[in-house]
């Protein structure tokens, strides 16, 4: 029994040690144009974290679609937020004040278990956007 406990503990510690932290910058201007998250598309592993970092003021990160079993998030304006990706699937998020400019992004974790829900969220955000109509669709096109 003791060997089993030690083995389980070692497995949990090693899994946590393999988790990565990804940085997503919230920017007024970037390689993809004005009001953008960089990178706008990210592939990560279950257990990784994403830290949304202030590069310019007046931004936030708010989840729009998350896989079943994952926690949604709602960052405050002008504050960094760190999110743990605790379920496989597709995460779609936006910057609340700049959603009309299609300031949004996509994170894929493992298998895209919620593909249809995430696609619907992308379509809704894109339809409501006044500019940068192709940006979010292009990010989502990477989800396979």
């Amino acid at each position: 029994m003791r060997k089993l406990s030690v083995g389980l503990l070692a497995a949990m510690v090693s899994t946590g040690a393999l988790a990565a932290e990804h940085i997503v910058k919230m920017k007024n201007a970037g390689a993809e144009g004005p009001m953008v998250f960089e990178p706008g598309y990210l592939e990560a592993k279950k257990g990784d974290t994403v830290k949304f970092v202030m590069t310019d003021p007046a931004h936030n990160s708010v989840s729009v679609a998350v896989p079943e079993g994952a926690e949604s998030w709602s960052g405050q304006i002008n504050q960094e937020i760190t999110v743990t990706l605790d379920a496989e699937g597709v995460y779609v998020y936006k910057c609340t004040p700049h959603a009309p400019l299609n300031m949004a992004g996509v994170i894929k974790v493992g298998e895209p278990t919620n593909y249809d829900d995430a696609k619907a969220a992308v379509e809704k955000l894109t339809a409501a956007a006044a500019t940068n109509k192709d940006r979010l669709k292009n990010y989502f096109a990477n989800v396979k």
Side-chain angles (χ1 to χ4, degrees):
M1 186 67 160
R2 182 172 178 197
K3 286 182 182 181
L4 178 61
S5 297
V6 171
L8 287 173
L9 180 60
M12 290 188 310
V13 170
S14 65
T15 301
L18 297 176
E21 179 182 66
H22 304 273
I23 303 295
V24 174
K25 296 177 183 175
M26 299 181 277
K27 302 176 79 172
N28 288 346
E32 305 258 348
M35 303 304 167
V36 67
F37 290 99
E38 283 189 348
Y41 176 75
L42 175 67
E43 289 191 11
K45 294 179 180 173
K46 185 177 175 182
D48 286 359
T49 58
V50 177
K51 184 175 184 179
F52 292 91
V53 176
M54 293 299 307
T55 301
D56 297 306
H59 300 294
N60 71 338
S61 175
V62 175
S63 61
V64 177
V66 299
E68 187 174 328
E71 288 193 37
S72 59
W73 68 88
S74 183
Q76 300 299 309
I77 301 293
N78 292 325
Q79 290 186 345
E80 295 180 354
I81 184 172
T82 299
V83 175
T84 300
L85 306 170
D86 48 10
E88 282 195 350
V90 183
Y91 297 73
V92 179
Y93 59 92
K94 69 178 180 178
C95 172
T96 304
H98 300 112
L101 304 175
N102 218 4
M103 185 172 178
V106 175
I107 303 167
K108 179 182 170 248
V109 178
E111 294 298 316
T113 57
N114 62 326
Y115 182 90
D116 292 337
D117 290 341
K119 183 177 181 181
V122 166
E123 289 171 356
K124 185 176 180 180
L125 284 170
T126 299
T131 61
N132 304 310
K133 290 278 193 179
D134 292 332
R135 180 188 291 162
L136 190 56
K137 286 182 183 180
N138 290 342
Y139 295 156
F140 192 74
N142 292 299
V143 176
K144 306 271 189 255

